[in-house]
Amino acid sequence: MKIFIDTADIKEIQEANRIGILDGVTTNPSLIAKTGRDFDSVAKEILAEVKGPVSLEVISLDTGGMLKEARVLAKLGENVVVKLPMTVDGLKACKALTAEGVKTNVTLIFSPSQALLAAKAGATYVSPFVGRFDDISEDGMGLVEQIVQIYGNYGYQSEVIVASIRNPMHFVKACLMGADVSTIPFSVIQQLSKHPLTDVGIERFLKDWEKVPKK
Ligand code: G3P
């Protein structure tokens, strides 16, 4: 299971990187806007910090515009992954970029058929949004299970990034289902390392240590 961080906040990225468990980064226009900074500076800073795949999203809605943006983004670094929306235009752009050797991440996936088409278009990654699907009373992790099964049935190589993760259970289920990547907000990455019994255990060990006679 690869762990990506889902943020454009360089401090969070550096912090996760220091733990030593970070494989990559995903961003989107909302996350870039949250930084309050311009796109270029943020993207370059992230690319200088992280060696693994960094997803940067296009804004255009038409294939031509997406390709133009994607080619500029791809020049920013070898580890750039161009994030494309799951639309017919996005699929066309995905097919063309794949032929050019540019890595892609087809995003905003909410159905298994969308994931199948993205794989056929040669997507390097596909991103089903589990939290947002749960938000409308659908089964986010059920969607991931179906995509993983379909890709297995036909041997598609696209990697499944479980996105819009909101809690540790999303992550655990993604691992059990054999998804390739989880992209996780910093707050949830922190939660993954914690367990109340670990804290209680440390406290108890330290209390008992006080009873050990000192020389
Ligand atoms: O990677 C996709 C993610 O950024 C969406 O998450 O929490 O905005 O639904 P969220």
Side-chain angles (χ1 to χ4, degrees):
M1 166 60 75
K2 286 174 230 170
I3 295 181
F4 291 0
I5 189 167
D6 193 31
T7 185
D9 182 325
I10 192 66
K11 288 212 171 74
E12 291 183 344
I13 294 168
Q14 286 167 337
E15 185 68 30
N17 218 5
R18 274 198 287 270
I19 303 171
I21 48 81
L22 195 63
D23 298 302
V25 178
T26 54
T27 66
N28 62 37
S30 308
L31 293 170
I32 299 284
K34 244 171 111 177
T35 67
R37 301 172 55 211
D38 70 281
F39 175 80
D40 264 17
S41 323
V42 174
K44 282 178 185 155
E45 209 167 33
I46 296 172
L47 289 163
E49 171 69 24
V50 178
K51 299 272 168 288
V54 174
S55 286
L56 302 171
E57 191 158 342
V58 300
I59 305 302
S60 302
L61 296 178
D62 62 297
T63 306
M66 287 181 202
L67 289 175
K68 218 167 143 189
E69 279 187 66
R71 287 167 188 147
V72 174
L73 292 176
K75 285 204 181 96
L76 293 177
E78 279 190 357
N79 52 340
V80 168
V81 176
V82 176
K83 221 169 169 187
L84 302 162
M86 177 53 232
T87 58
V88 168
D89 278 72
L91 290 175
K92 289 180 191 166
C94 180
K95 185 87 187 171
L97 291 168
T98 302
E100 292 174 21
V102 174
K103 294 192 186 68
T104 55
N105 174 357
V106 178
T107 189
L108 290 164
I109 293 214
F110 291 96
S111 78
S113 55
Q114 288 180 318
L116 182 90
L117 295 187
K120 282 190 80 74
T124 317
Y125 301 99
V126 296
S127 292
F129 276 29
V130 298
R132 291 195 198 180
F133 210 35
D134 290 351
D135 288 345
I136 59 157
S137 303
E138 292 286 352
D139 179 7
M141 291 314 301
L143 168 65
V144 171
E145 192 169 28
Q146 289 175 333
I147 296 170
V148 169
Q149 186 184 331
I150 290 168
Y151 282 9
N153 287 347
Y154 297 102
Y156 286 116
Q157 297 302 305
S158 304
E159 292 193 36
V160 179
I161 301 183
V162 180
S164 187
I165 283 185
R166 301 274 169 80
N167 56 58
M169 277 318 291
H170 278 147
F171 172 69
V172 172
K173 285 183 182 165
C175 296
L176 289 169
M177 286 169 188
D180 304 280
V181 185
S182 291
T183 190
I184 314 177
F186 185 61
S187 57
V188 179
I189 291 181
Q190 287 177 308
Q191 281 179 282
L192 295 181
S193 71
K194 293 192 197 312
H195 195 286
L197 289 180
T198 305
D199 297 338
V200 169
I202 290 171
E203 207 180 310
R204 196 176 298 166
F205 283 152
L206 290 180
K207 274 222 168 77
D208 288 343
W209 185 250
E210 285 169 17
K211 298 176 206 156
V212 175
K214 309 291 181 297
K215 273 192 184 173

